[in-house]
Amino acid sequence: MSKKWPYPRLIAHRGGGRFAPENTLAAMRCGLDYGFDMVEFDAKLSKDNVLILLHDDDVKRTSNGQGLAAEMTYAELLELDMGQWHSAYYAGEPLPKLESIVRFAIENNIICNVEIKPCPGREKITGKLVAEAVARWFKGAEIPPLLSSFSAEALEAAYKAAPELPRAFLCDEYDATAKKVAKKLACVAVNPDQKTLTEKVIKAIHKDGYRICAWTVNDYRRAKELFAWGCDAIFTDELERLPASMA
């Protein structure tokens, strides 16, 4: 088992779960309003290498525009409405820089899981720049951010750039490949799809020395089951009912 685990059991997925437009400052405020001490969000690069929050490679699903983020400058991305797709209440919400989210998190004592979400072909530079920036902004933090990624290449670049930051390898399931990557990159945790977890698998992961952050759990019965089996943390979109059921 890895060393002391400082992170909460419940992590707000993409900031505000289903209650606010994902990966926006509004989402982070939503997570805070619902009492979450830790949020997860996705970081990638614009065409001009500005660190931004966005899950998809294309902006179509979560904005009023379309096109690849890797082909748009930050100035162009800033013109998009990132909230209208969610609800009228959030219309006009801008796409944020990673720096803005970090400032909010630090000021409000929110713990972060920064998922490195590189656009295709930009794995190494994204991992490097995210890690360098996060290490600089959170220098001296009592509880450091957890860096994670599905991209072993991006996570390795982050490891080389800021080895002092804790890392987690995101995976669909904990198989031989995930085990190999986690070991190579000195990860403290693996973040598998919750659907692949059983009590036996959780015990195996712990035996190998890793903590477990499962994605994405929105049913309170499943959450209780996972915690009963020893799962260390879960990501959730259900910011209202699930925390209440855990009390």
Side-chain angles (χ1 to χ4, degrees):
M1 182 72 69
S2 53
K3 297 180 180 179
K4 181 182 178 183
W5 181 250
Y7 304 107
R9 294 203 304 170
L10 297 178
I11 306 170
H13 188 225
R14 301 180 192 173
R18 66 179 180 84
F19 293 88
E22 64 183 60
N23 288 311
T24 61
L25 187 53
M28 306 309 147
R29 292 194 178 107
C30 183
L32 179 64
D33 287 344
Y34 274 97
F36 277 70
D37 297 317
M38 185 170 183
V39 296
E40 177 268 354
F41 48 82
D42 305 293
K44 55 167 28 87
L45 292 171
S46 64
K47 180 180 180 180
D48 48 346
N49 287 347
V50 175
L51 291 166
I52 59 171
L53 262 62
L54 188 68
H55 179 274
D56 300 356
D57 295 324
D58 196 296
V59 302
K60 184 177 181 179
R61 180 178 65 86
T62 55
S63 82
N64 63 338
Q66 57 184 347
L68 297 175
E71 297 177 358
M72 304 173 74
T73 65
Y74 177 66
E76 291 171 328
L77 290 166
L78 196 56
E79 294 180 3
L80 300 175
D81 184 332
M82 307 302 294
Q84 187 181 38
W85 69 270
H86 181 275
S87 58
Y89 182 78
Y90 289 110
E93 185 68 25
L95 182 144
K97 287 184 179 180
L98 175 58
E99 183 177 1
S100 299
I101 302 303
V102 169
R103 287 181 179 179
F104 177 79
I106 291 174
E107 192 66 27
N108 290 281
N109 297 312
I110 298 173
I111 306 165
C112 298
N113 176 186
V114 185
E115 181 180 341
I116 304 168
K117 201 82 173 176
C119 296
R122 310 202 73 195
E123 290 80 9
K124 287 185 179 180
I125 188 171
T126 304
K128 178 179 183 293
L129 293 182
V130 168
E132 288 177 344
V134 169
R136 182 173 66 253
W137 292 329
F138 283 96
K139 186 176 181 179
E142 182 178 353
I143 301 178
L146 181 64
L147 295 184
S148 64
S149 186
F150 279 102
S151 168
E153 189 176 6
L155 201 59
E156 182 174 12
Y159 181 21
K160 291 178 179 178
E164 71 277 16
L165 292 176
R167 291 165 299 284
F169 183 55
L170 272 158
C171 53
D172 292 319
E173 62 179 326
Y174 186 66
D175 55 12
T177 298
K179 184 175 181 178
K180 182 179 179 181
V181 172
K183 182 178 180 180
K184 177 183 178 181
L185 302 184
C187 292
V188 300
V190 290
N191 297 1
D193 184 343
Q194 61 92 8
K195 296 176 183 177
T196 67
L197 291 176
T198 62
E199 186 173 13
K200 183 178 179 180
V201 171
I202 288 174
K203 287 181 178 179
I205 295 173
H206 282 162
K207 186 177 180 180
D208 288 338
Y210 307 112
R211 300 287 186 160
I212 305 162
C213 302
W215 55 272
T216 301
V217 185
N218 295 325
D219 183 275
Y220 75 91
R221 292 164 297 185
R222 178 59 170 164
K224 287 184 175 181
E225 181 176 56
L226 289 170
F227 286 138
W229 290 342
C231 187
D232 299 284
I234 63 172
F235 300 98
T236 184
D237 295 311
E238 185 47 78
L239 305 192
E240 189 172 63
R241 294 179 182 176
L242 198 143
S245 70
M246 297 290 104

